[in-house]
Amino acid sequence: DEESVGGCFDATFPDFAAKRGCFFVRLNRIYGWSPPEGKNLFFDCKWDKGKTGSGNLNPPFNFEMLKPEKIAGSLQEYYPWTSLKKNGLQPMQAILITLNNTKYGAMKEDDSLDTYLVCNAYVQSVDGTEEPTPLQNSRPANFEIIYPKRVKPVMDVPDTRLQKMNFKDEKEWSAYKKGFIDLQTKYGKNPDKDHFFRWDRNNVGRCNNYMFSNFGIRRGCFFVGLNTTSHWSPPEGKMLSFNCEWDKGKTGLGNLNPPFDFEMLRPVETAASLAVYYPWTSLEENGLKPIQAIRITLNRFKYEAMTKDDSLETYLVCKAYVQNDLGDPQTTLINSIPATFEIVYTNRN
């Protein structure tokens, strides 16, 4: 029952997507056997190198021995064992296994995925004055957890047509504009629920209307979100946000002071939407992911001051960041992959 095995009492608790479950350990029955006189019997576990010798001793999982005092009391009452009829099935120690999202998100490429938990029987003086010692001649139980390598959070452009603004080619601009219209339409259909991201002026500012983008005066909007796995969350106690900067780009010749300005629109509202969106489980449960709108406008002063030697290659790189609170220093979200945007235009000279 729940009093003896806690949350592991309910068979619906194990969850494949959330990477959680329960192990159970017990001591085999031997007729007439009892723990040493004056000793309490209990179980405990630890992460182990395991059968491969490469087991991760700090894996991205937590384990918890559930109701250990209750189990120790049950073990005292159970022994000496004589028969199933008299004693029933032996008491079991439930071990709760849950994913540690912070550790999982911080895993490096060379971190071992081999994960083994070894559990032993221990005895200790009834009054607790002695240190626990392994039960003599007992054999441990070994458990294994198998899980996939962490899928890195990827900065996501919600429509590939919106990855480039081409102010030289009207045909390519038309494709960008169609992508903008389709994205606005798609988010306009996001169910109107309290915690669902809304496509409106409050969340995406002037970029709430595709009409803002204009080929002739060279302005438009980029949008970026974060692709993640099911049940992913930012590190505990951290706020997720996005930010961008001009970059050298794929050619290494990107202009770091181009004749354009960018502005992250409604960053406070976006951060608040991200905070309630995660952990993500499904479209039904969470809706479409929050996106950060980035307004792009021509800086005429810089444009007119350009020389023929200034690079026209213009790339904007956007990354995911975490911080304790808005206004605090930002640090890059570990293992996240940035998104790159491009602006194409002609030199006035």
Side-chain angles (χ1 to χ4, degrees), residues 153-157 224-227 241-243 318-320 336-339:
V154 178
M155 290 295 284
D156 170 58
V157 181
V224 70
L226 192 69
N227 267 357
S241 60
F242 306 132
N243 212 342
C318 300
K319 298 177 181 179
S336 61
I337 298 173

Side-chain angles (χ1 to χ4, degrees), residues 164-182:
K164 180 195 285 188
M165 290 183 200
N166 192 332
F167 295 114
K168 287 175 63 176
D169 187 328
E170 290 198 46
K171 184 176 180 182
E172 196 164 310
W173 176 261
S174 294
Y176 162 86
K177 196 74 171 272
K178 181 64 167 61
F180 199 152
I181 293 169
D182 290 347

Side-chain angles (χ1 to χ4, degrees), residues 81-155:
W81 183 84
T82 55
S83 67
L84 275 174
K85 187 173 181 181
K86 183 176 179 182
N87 303 83
L89 295 170
Q90 64 263 52
M92 291 191 301
Q93 172 67 63
I95 307 156
L96 180 74
I97 303 293
T98 52
L99 179 70
N100 184 315
N101 269 309
T102 300
K103 286 185 180 180
Y104 193 40
M107 286 190 79
K108 300 175 183 175
E109 289 294 327
D110 56 355
D111 285 339
S112 175
L113 295 178
D114 293 345
T115 302
Y116 305 102
L117 188 70
V118 63
C119 300
N120 285 284
Y122 294 85
V123 289
Q124 185 179 27
S125 58
V126 173
D127 60 12
T129 56
E130 297 176 4
E131 288 294 314
T133 57
L135 177 64
Q136 195 171 4
N137 296 326
S138 64
R139 294 180 183 176
N142 296 286
F143 300 94
E144 183 176 1
I145 303 172
I146 299 173
Y147 57 100
K149 185 170 284 191
R150 177 80 174 105
V151 177
K152 296 178 179 179
V154 178
M155 290 295 284

